[in-house]
Amino acid sequence: MDGVDGVLAVIDAQGRLAVKAHAFVAFEDEFKLALMALNQSGHNELHRSALAGIQLARCYADVVQALLAQTQLS
């Protein structure tokens, strides 16, 4: 629950793996607390869960952007 890791890798025809880039985006403290709070049922948890899902998707997008920038891919 510390953040999102990403790896950009290529697998050739022989099945060999080559890592081209790796990236990490840390969760903000407030987001960590929000995720932990979802472990318990409570007021408005469906709404809070949806908001957490959106924030997580943004973190995934940030990792992808970092990987593309490192490899200069579009």
Side-chain angles (χ1 to χ4, degrees):
M1 297 247 314
D2 61 342
V4 176
D5 293 285
V7 173
L8 181 64
V10 175
I11 302 173
D12 68 16
Q14 289 74 36
R16 292 181 296 236
L17 179 76
V19 173
K20 299 297 182 182
H22 56 85
F24 174 75
V25 171
F27 292 155
E28 296 176 3
D29 290 338
E30 185 177 322
F31 185 49
K32 289 181 194 180
L33 292 173
L35 290 176
M36 291 301 292
L38 288 172
N39 285 317
Q40 303 290 324
S41 60
H43 176 71
N44 210 10
E45 66 189 73
L46 291 177
H47 179 72
R48 291 183 295 118
S49 177
L51 292 175
I54 292 167
Q55 183 64 31
L56 186 58
R58 288 183 177 139
C59 290
Y60 291 154
D62 290 344
V63 167
V64 170
Q65 284 296 103
L67 293 171
L68 294 175
Q70 285 180 46
T71 57
Q72 299 176 350
L73 295 172
S74 58

